[in-house]
Each structure stands twice: as C-alpha cells, then as structure tokens.
C-alpha cells in the first residue's frame, strides 16, 4: 500500500457525547485521522474507550456530536453503499430461518435485482469466502467460523470499497480465528478494499494492519498512529515470530497499559 494512495476516509475533529447536562458522557473527543485507499487499519484501545461508538459514527449508524467524516472527499451523512459492516455477533446478524445464500442475498434487497441474479451473486460471494457447497445450509447447520464467513460474504456481495469490521473474530475459536484473519487479508487484496477493523486483540492488530490507531479513554483521543511495515508478505508463523512483531506488540500494549494506569484501571 503506497503512502501516496488517494484518501478514502477522512475523520475530522470527531466528537461524540452521550446524554446531556449533568449526565453527559463525552466518549470521543477531537478524533482526527485519514485512511488511504487499500489500507488495512486496526483500531485498538481499552475496553469501553469508544471503539464501537467510533465505528457507529463512521458507518453513519449514529450521528457524531461534532466534526465530520468524509468518504472520497464527500461528507458522509447517511449510510453509504460503498461501506459494508461485519459485526462480532454473527448469531444475531444472520437470519436463522434463511439459508446461507438467502442471508447473503438479503444485502442486495435494495437493488431490486431479479431473484435468480441475486442468488447467483450470493453464491459467488459465498465461494469467495470458501463456502462453496454450503449455499443451502441454515446458520444452525454451520460452525461459528462458517457463520462468520456467511456474514463476511453478505458484506462483500455489494462490492464495497470499504469494509468495516467490529471485533469480527472475538467469538471464534483460536485456530479458526487465524484462518479468518488470513481470509480477510486475501479478500482485501483481491478486491482492493480498504479495511477498518476494531479489535481488542493486540497480536491480531499487529498481524493485520498497515497502521494501528491506538485510542486513549475517558474521553477517547488518538493516542498514537503506528506504521506496521510488514508489507504484503505475512504469514501466521514467520510474521508473528519476527522481532518486529514483538516490538510492535510491546509498544501497543504499553500504550494501552499507560491509558489504563492513568485511569486507575486494571489491565484488560
Ligand atoms: P468500546 O467499543 O471501546 O468497548 P463503546 O463505544 O462500546 O466502547 O463504549 C464507550 C462508552 O460509551 C462506554 O462508557 C459506554 O457505556 C458508552 N456508551 C456506548 N453506547 C452508548 C449508548 N447508546 N448510550 C449511552 N452510552 C453509551
């Protein structure tokens, strides 16, 4: 990913306060950062810092209190078809009474495509996440990892330019999680997508990111933005075993510990 790639997302002086008056809770304060086309950016920070709040603002699921978000130079004021979201809770985001292919096709509902065409696109998206053969299975017939693959296929079927993922692998077993991380990297490259992923797993952030944004807490501000210079050649064995990986992990961990120390919180 070249540093000179065009800007995709620009977050400018974003603040979010929940409640008003005496019960006002300033969660995000003056958050500013850029994400360039084709970048993989992870957002980390202590639990309760405001990561999910920031993603909700980024995807226009919730208005910010002040500041703005621009997508390709245009101010974002409503959910954009260029942005797809994958949530942590696949059990709640998939419809249990619909087969995998119908769950994926649901994302095309607004496009009013003929049913046959929507299902063909849905099957293509399922194949791209390794679920060829599972098209007519119901969510309850699939493992957790496979259900999250269905949720990823549903996010991809609309051909988004930006994929936003909120702790997508937090409820997945350790081995499957590594597979899904590699799948996400491969999809990002093959589809030339920009990815913004929230995680509380520091190793995951270091493994996946081109850059890591570390948030502080109460209120969340951008504590540091860290370049991760592994390039495109990453694998779960050599990358994680490299000295650079260890250095980055320790650095991110120390930033988060520092925030927790200032807050008088115990480590997560
Ligand atoms: P994170 O994702 O980093 O764990 P969240 O964005 O979920 O953090 O929450 C940040 C803070 O905002 C927390 O103090 C939480 O209680 C508060 N919060 C989150 N959602 C709401 C809401 N809908 N109304 C009021 N407060 C909220």
């Amino acid at each position: 990913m070249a540093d000179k790639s065009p800007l995709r997302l620009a977050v400018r002086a974003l603040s979010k306060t929940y409640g008003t008056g005496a019960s006002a809770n300033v969660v995000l304060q003056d958050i500013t950062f850029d994400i360039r086309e084709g970048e993989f950016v992870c957002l980390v920070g202590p639990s309760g810092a405001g990561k999910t709040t920031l993603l909700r603002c980024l995807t226009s699921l919730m208005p910010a209190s002040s500041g703005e978000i621009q997508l390709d130079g245009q101010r974002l004021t409503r959910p954009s078809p260029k942005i797809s979201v994958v949530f942590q809770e696949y059990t709640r985001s998939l419809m249990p009474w619909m087969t995998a292919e119908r769950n994926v096709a649901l994302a095309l509902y607004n496009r009013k495509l003929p049913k046959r065409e929507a299902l063909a696109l849905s099957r293509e998206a399922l194949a791209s996440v390794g679920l060829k053969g599972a098209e007519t299975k119901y969510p309850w017939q699939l493992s957790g990892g496979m259900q999250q693959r269905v949720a990823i296929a549903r996010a991809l079927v609309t051909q988004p330019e930006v994929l936003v993922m909120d702790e997508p692998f937090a409820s997945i077993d350790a081995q499957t999680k590594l597979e899904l991380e590699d799948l996400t990297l491969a999809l990002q490259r093959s589809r030339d997508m920009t990815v913004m992923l929230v995680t509380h797993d520091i190793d995951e952030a270091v493994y996946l990111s081109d850059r890591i944004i570390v948030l502080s807490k109460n209120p969340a501000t951008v504590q540091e933005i860290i370049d991760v210079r592994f390039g495109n050649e990453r694998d779960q064995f050599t990358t994680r075993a490299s000295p650079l990986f260890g250095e980055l992990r320790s650095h991110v961990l120390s930033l988060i510990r520092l925030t927790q120390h200032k807050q008088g919180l115990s480590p997560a």
Side-chain angles (χ1 to χ4, degrees), residues 18-19 25 27 45-54 56 62 166-167 198 218:
Y18 288 114
N25 178 13
V27 175
S47 183
K51 303 181 291 297
T52 299
T53 300
L54 179 54
R56 285 189 195 139
M62 190 170 66
D166 190 3
E167 304 230 20
V198 163
N218 281 339

Side-chain angles (χ1 to χ4, degrees), residues 101-102 104-125 154 156-159:
E101 63 185 10
R102 284 178 192 276
V104 173
L106 208 52
L108 298 167
Y109 182 77
N110 284 341
R111 304 212 174 162
K112 308 265 181 267
L113 298 174
K115 188 171 159 192
R116 180 186 292 206
E117 200 177 318
L119 286 177
L121 289 172
S122 163
R123 286 182 206 124
E124 237 175 76
R154 190 173 59 193
L156 296 178
V157 75
T158 55
Q159 306 278 355

Side-chain angles (χ1 to χ4, degrees), residues 204-219:
E204 180 168 279
V206 174
Y207 182 66
L208 292 173
S209 300
D210 294 309
R211 285 188 303 146
I212 302 174
I213 299 175
V214 185
L215 293 184
S216 61
K217 187 176 173 181
N218 281 339

Side-chain angles (χ1 to χ4, degrees), residues 19-230:
T20 52
S23 63
N25 178 13
V26 183
V27 175
L28 305 177
Q29 190 171 61
D30 199 17
I31 305 275
T32 294
F33 60 85
D34 292 332
I35 303 186
R36 295 191 172 273
E37 206 175 291
E39 250 193 321
F40 201 126
V41 173
C42 283
L43 189 67
V44 301
S47 183
K51 303 181 291 297
T52 299
T53 300
L54 179 54
L55 283 200
R56 285 189 195 139
C57 295
L58 263 177
T59 49
S60 307
L61 293 174
M62 190 170 66
S65 304
S66 62
E68 68 175 48
I69 294 157
Q70 295 162 7
L71 176 65
D72 298 330
Q74 302 289 316
R75 187 177 183 158
L76 256 187
T77 51
R78 62 176 74 127
S80 164
K82 292 181 178 179
I83 302 180
S84 284
V85 191
V86 175
F87 298 101
Q88 178 185 339
E89 295 292 338
Y90 52 83
T91 48
R92 284 198 284 173
S93 66
L94 297 180
M95 306 297 167
W97 61 88
M98 286 185 177
T99 59
E101 63 185 10
R102 284 178 192 276
N103 263 291
V104 173
L106 208 52
L108 298 167
Y109 182 77
N110 284 341
R111 304 212 174 162
K112 308 265 181 267
L113 298 174
K115 188 171 159 192
R116 180 186 292 206
E117 200 177 318
L119 286 177
L121 289 172
S122 163
R123 286 182 206 124
E124 237 175 76
L126 284 166
S128 76
V129 299
L131 285 183
K132 200 163 174 41
E135 296 88 348
T136 57
K137 296 259 194 284
Y138 290 89
W140 45 270
Q141 294 176 303
L142 302 171
S143 68
M146 290 166 92
Q147 289 180 57
Q148 193 57 310
R149 283 176 194 253
V150 176
I152 294 171
R154 190 173 59 193
L156 296 178
V157 75
T158 55
Q159 306 278 355
E161 290 172 12
V162 180
L163 185 63
V164 171
M165 308 178 92
D166 190 3
E167 304 230 20
F169 314 132
S171 316
I172 306 276
D173 68 85
Q175 180 56 41
T176 308
K177 182 175 159 142
L178 301 185
E179 290 169 18
L180 291 182
E181 287 171 3
D182 284 334
L183 172 71
T184 307
L185 281 176
L187 289 166
Q188 182 223 3
R189 284 171 201 151
S190 63
R191 292 171 175 254
D192 216 8
M193 286 185 300
T194 304
V195 180
M196 168 112 209
L197 183 145
V198 163
T199 180
H200 64 265
D201 180 339
I202 294 169
D203 285 24
E204 180 168 279
V206 174
Y207 182 66
L208 292 173
S209 300
D210 294 309
R211 285 188 303 146
I212 302 174
I213 299 175
V214 185
L215 293 184
S216 61
K217 187 176 173 181
N218 281 339
T221 58
V222 174
Q223 200 177 357
E224 195 169 317
I225 299 180
I226 300 163
D227 281 328
V228 179
R229 298 202 178 273
F230 290 125

